[in-house]
Amino acid sequence: MAKAKVKEKLARWFSQPILAIAALFLGAIVGALTAFFGQVLQRVNDIRDMHPVYWIPALALAGVVIVFTYKKVGKGTERGMGLVFDVAHGKEREIPLRLIPLIMATTWVTHLFGGSSGREGVAMQIGATLGHNISSKIPVENAPRILLISGMAAGFAGLFQTPMAAIAISLEILIAGHLALTALLPATVAAITAYKVSEMLGISRFTLDLNSFSPDWNLASLLYSESGLNVYFILKLAALGLIFGIVGGGFAKLLSLSRKFFAEKFPNPLKRVAIMGAVLSVFMLLLWQGRYSGLGTNLVDMCFANPAALTAGDAGIYAYDWLFKLVLTIVTLSVGFQGGEVTPLFTIGATLGAVVATIVGVPLPLAAALGYAAVFGAATNTLFAPIFIGAEMFGFDTLPAFFIACTIAYLCNGGQCIYGQKKIRLR
């Protein structure tokens, strides 16, 4: 018995260094792949934006090609993050490597022809697939699940350049209210490695100092007064969190309902994507020739590229931008097109924040930044990831504001999540 216990302890001690070394190589590969994917995706979006009337009318045909391709060579992999979750929870045994080129190529096609979708799902699927497949060579207990989580962290960090948020989302995404801390060290190694590799290969992240918007205010002066915490302003931040939580949770719920509705209405996936692709292309063209196509970073740029205009309430953001982006993204992802949800969620949150800022009485730049993170957190049913997203993108002096808004958004999302396979525990 004593020898068995010693052997067990030695195995436990050596497992973390072994997993960390594996995560280092995993992070380097995923960082390179996500840099390649991200740069091609940016170029694809630029091509579409230059000539939207050439590309968007063929969205239905592009959708048929995507669905047909998955039917012929990608059977099972069309479930994307659903497959990743099922493998992590032990419901499935493997993630085929062919998922990687398929999800990358079909996401490029979706964006080129004007679909409204994101990219984070692709990055996390790339990392999870590689991590799970590499784990078969690692003689460590629970290596498949740990390296799958580490791969997701690497994918998110490589594409978004926010390693702390990447570590947080990978640890809390699988089970609500639970952190997979056994994967903490490998996930950290993989995320930081992927972040540095993709940075060296040309990927950069969006950052902004919120205090640069106006010399008349800074976050510290709003949160604190001579007598202590400014309770009135904190209540305003909580009100924003409530709004963002409802919208983020609503997005997740509507996405689930929309997928069921279109699957029942059009049981044939080819007919579904062809008919709804044609409808989407008409709306995308009518609504300012692709304003809501692709990632939505064009709208985020409007929120933050011109500080003076945003502060004055004249940044070119319409009151309905967030709603159109929400609806068109849900339909795009429900009928068979590929991509992720997170970047559109950033866009929905930022544009919504810019609209409700004056109603709640919070400076527009701050409200847009809080919405950027909090709607994402509410829709993914995560708490720590959106807080770190906000801090890494908008400065760590903003952490108290993001903590308040993201916490309230998390509590008010109705327990919804864009990943239907996420396990729910009581909070």
Side-chain angles (χ1 to χ4, degrees):
M1 285 290 291
K3 286 184 178 181
K5 286 184 178 180
V6 170
K7 192 174 181 180
E8 184 181 340
K9 285 184 179 180
L10 286 173
R12 199 175 301 149
W13 288 339
F14 282 107
S15 66
Q16 286 298 309
I18 292 170
L19 289 169
I21 293 170
L24 183 68
F25 287 101
L26 174 62
I29 298 169
V30 173
L33 280 174
T34 53
F36 171 66
F37 167 72
Q39 288 168 340
V40 173
L41 185 64
Q42 184 58 58
R43 181 58 181 156
V44 161
N45 278 278
D46 290 343
I47 291 170
R48 186 202 62 245
D49 288 342
M50 286 189 290
H51 303 288
V53 294
Y54 295 170
W55 299 101
I56 295 177
L59 181 60
L61 179 60
V64 169
V65 171
I66 289 171
V67 172
F68 182 79
T69 301
Y70 271 104
K71 188 176 181 180
K72 288 297 181 183
V73 299
K75 192 174 182 180
T77 59
E78 72 278 357
R79 292 163 53 206
M81 286 298 291
L83 176 59
V84 170
F85 273 76
D86 283 346
V87 169
H89 294 316
K91 296 178 181 179
E92 296 281 351
R93 295 188 62 183
E94 64 174 348
I95 311 175
L97 283 171
R98 64 178 179 274
L99 180 148
I100 294 174
L102 279 170
I103 190 60
M104 290 170 68
T106 54
T107 300
W108 291 332
V109 171
T110 295
H111 282 257
L112 179 62
F113 291 93
S116 175
S117 70
R119 53 189 173 176
E120 101 299 331
V122 181
M124 293 176 78
Q125 287 174 58
I126 291 170
T129 302
L130 283 174
H132 195 263
N133 279 273
I134 287 173
S135 68
S136 62
K137 310 295 183 183
I138 309 298
V140 172
E141 185 182 1
N142 211 21
R145 190 170 188 271
I146 290 173
L147 289 180
L148 181 147
I149 292 170
S150 302
M152 287 197 289
F156 199 98
L159 197 58
F160 284 105
Q161 290 287 288
T162 53
M164 283 187 284
I167 296 164
I169 195 171
S170 69
L171 297 182
E172 63 179 324
I173 195 63
L174 294 177
I175 304 174
H178 171 77
L179 293 176
L181 293 178
T182 53
L184 177 59
L185 176 60
T188 301
V189 171
I192 293 174
T193 304
Y195 158 67
K196 293 306 295 183
V197 168
S198 65
E199 182 184 49
M200 289 188 292
L201 293 174
I203 297 291
S204 60
R205 81 166 177 258
F206 169 80
T207 57
L208 182 69
D209 178 9
L210 289 179
N211 292 325
S212 68
F213 277 90
S214 172
D216 300 327
W217 67 272
N218 62 68
L219 191 56
S221 66
L222 293 173
L223 281 170
Y224 303 97
S225 63
E226 292 182 0
S227 58
L229 284 173
N230 185 340
V231 176
Y232 184 54
F233 186 72
I234 289 173
L235 290 175
K236 290 181 179 181
L237 296 180
L240 282 176
L242 172 64
I243 295 169
F244 298 145
I246 293 171
V247 171
F251 178 96
K253 183 63 175 178
L254 288 172
L255 180 62
S256 174
L257 293 174
S258 178
R259 282 173 169 157
K260 291 178 183 176
F261 172 79
F262 285 115
E264 293 173 0
K265 194 74 173 175
F266 306 104
N268 186 316
L270 287 171
K271 287 184 179 179
R272 183 192 315 150
V273 78
I275 293 170
M276 293 310 303
V279 172
L280 279 169
S281 65
V282 170
F283 277 99
M284 290 296 185
L285 285 172
L286 288 176
L287 297 172
W288 300 280
Q289 295 188 2
R291 180 180 177 90
Y292 305 109
S293 292
L295 299 168
T297 50
N298 56 314
L299 298 174
V300 174
D301 288 342
M302 291 181 193
C303 286
F304 297 112
N306 190 338
L310 183 61
T311 303
D314 186 28
I317 296 296
Y318 303 136
Y320 44 76
D321 276 336
W322 70 273
L323 184 58
F324 280 157
K325 187 64 179 174
L326 181 149
V327 172
L328 292 170
T329 301
I330 287 173
V331 175
T332 297
L333 295 174
S334 297
V335 300
F337 293 98
Q338 294 295 323
E341 300 91 351
V342 166
T343 310
L345 285 168
F346 290 156
T347 302
I348 292 163
T351 51
L352 175 62
V355 171
V356 301
T358 53
I359 300 172
V360 179
V362 172
L364 268 71
L366 176 60
L370 292 173
Y372 185 98
V375 169
F376 150 70
T380 55
N381 203 20
T382 56
L383 174 61
F384 300 108
I387 294 172
F388 282 120
I389 282 277
E392 288 184 278
M393 288 190 164
F394 299 101
F396 278 86
D397 60 331
T398 65
L399 194 60
F402 280 100
F403 178 82
I404 295 166
C406 293
T407 299
I408 299 299
Y410 174 73
L411 294 173
C412 297
N413 79 335
Q416 300 300 315
C417 181
I418 55 176
Y419 306 121
Q421 296 79 8
K422 181 171 184 173
K423 289 186 178 180
I424 306 296
R425 285 187 177 178
L426 293 176
R427 291 170 179 169

